[in-house]
Amino acid sequence: MRVLAIESSCDESAVAVLDEHEGLLAHELWSQIDLHRLYGGVVPELASRDHVQRLPQLLQAALEKSKTKPDQLLGIAYTAGPGLVGALLTGAALARSLALGWSVPALGIHHLEAHLLAPLLEPLAPGFPQTALLVSGGHTMLIDVRGIGDYRLLGETRDDAAGEAFDKSAKLLGLPYPGGPQLARLAEEGRPGVFDLPRPMLDRPGCEFSFSGLKTAVMLAVRAAPLTDTRRADLARAVQDAIVDTLCVKALRALDQTGHRTLVVAGGVGANRALRERLALEAGKIGVRVYYPRPEFCTDNAAMVAVAGMQRLRAGEHSPGGIGVRARWSLAELRPPGAAL
Ligand code: KG4
Ligand code: ZN
């Protein structure tokens, strides 16, 4: 059986088809980056309108490439939150309409659970329990993952998310939106140790993060002297080092707390090469194995929604009628697949 999955929570429109035995058969994605660049951030209304335009084409391509017929579908999984309500509604409405027309179940998926389960798409998939570092544009969390649907929050950011810290710092350095990947690229040219940026909350116990002070420090450094190419690269390096250091120290602290031997890194910032290398190195020293999705499955995509959907639809879950989406939705509310039936 197959799951058709739709993702539209923010600025990526995506559709995927996952087969229970054959694995991922198609994953189509359209990024709205060019649309929002002009405004320096995601414009919710434009995002919704673009999803409406793109999703049908992506759907058609995914069905054709995977040669999927409606009677092969176990169900349709769609991202139901958290995210931009208007954007979520476009994917939910499409999923629900197809489900109604084809008489198959539809199931709303938690976007963060999808990120957490993305490493299951890889040939060497992690087992449970695991400690997860979920780092995206909207979230920075350390989670004790005892199994699918059993998530305990160990700590999260009190203000900006790690991806937000990358993006806001990049903007201050004059880099185009979305700055995270651009800043990471520039940081490769920068020298370490030229700027000393703060690593907030490192001296405090626990697994909480705070990144808002970082952008203030970057702003002051930018204002202190003209931004030459060298200075810009050195500052980019300092930003990346500060974020990677902080994430790494707290992830190790979380592992110490849980005692797990498996660390999963998920979410858009998980695509950052410096973070991946540093975590693999540090975790390796204490006998912990690190698992990441491939970079394209770190950032938003529908393949990860299909994985979460497969787990839950197979257990008989489906969402009641109506096009329900949630802008806010805590991971702790989730239960293991089928547990709430
Ligand atoms: O998971 P995601 O695609 O969307 C959310 O659910 O938020 O994450 C997007 C975030 C953005 O802040 C982006 O700048 C950041 O991930 N990001 C990166 C890299 N690739 C994406 N940050 C640092 N280095 C990267 N290579
Ligand atoms: Zn995401």
Side-chain angles (χ1 to χ4, degrees), residues 120-246:
L120 298 183
L121 287 160
E122 303 304 335
L124 262 180
F128 299 96
Q130 37 177 258
T131 298
L133 174 65
L134 181 55
V135 273
S136 70
H139 299 88
T140 301
M141 295 174 168
L142 277 158
I143 305 158
D144 175 358
V145 181
R146 302 192 176 181
I148 297 175
D150 188 353
Y151 310 117
R152 274 153 232 235
L153 189 64
L154 299 166
E156 63 183 329
T157 183
R158 295 189 174 180
D159 39 60
D160 290 352
E164 216 175 337
F166 265 106
D167 295 341
K168 287 179 177 171
S169 301
K171 199 169 184 175
L172 289 166
L173 292 178
L175 300 173
Y177 167 87
Q182 309 251 7
L183 187 145
R185 228 166 286 135
L186 192 58
E188 309 254 322
E189 296 164 28
R191 296 164 296 173
V194 177
F195 291 92
D196 186 21
L197 296 178
R199 283 136 172 82
M201 315 273 300
L202 272 199
D203 49 344
R204 292 198 214 164
C207 298
E208 301 280 301
F209 301 91
S210 165
F211 287 108
S212 66
L214 190 59
K215 62 175 185 286
T216 313
V218 174
M219 191 170 66
L220 293 175
V222 166
R223 283 186 189 160
L227 210 51
T228 58
D229 285 349
T230 315
R231 212 175 139 75
R232 186 183 274 120
D234 290 342
L235 203 43
R237 173 67 188 256
V239 169
Q240 179 168 274
D241 285 349
I243 297 173
V244 168
D245 257 5
T246 310

Side-chain angles (χ1 to χ4, degrees), residues 7 9 111-112 115 136-137 267-268 298-300 304:
E7 157 66 36
S9 64
H111 182 74
L112 301 184
H115 272 303
S136 70
C298 282
T299 46
D300 289 348
M304 65 183 192

Side-chain angles (χ1 to χ4, degrees), residues 266-286:
V269 181
N272 185 272
R273 210 163 66 120
L275 177 67
R276 292 166 87 98
E277 284 172 7
R278 177 77 189 283
L279 278 175
L281 183 77
E282 300 292 339
K285 287 184 195 163
I286 54 164

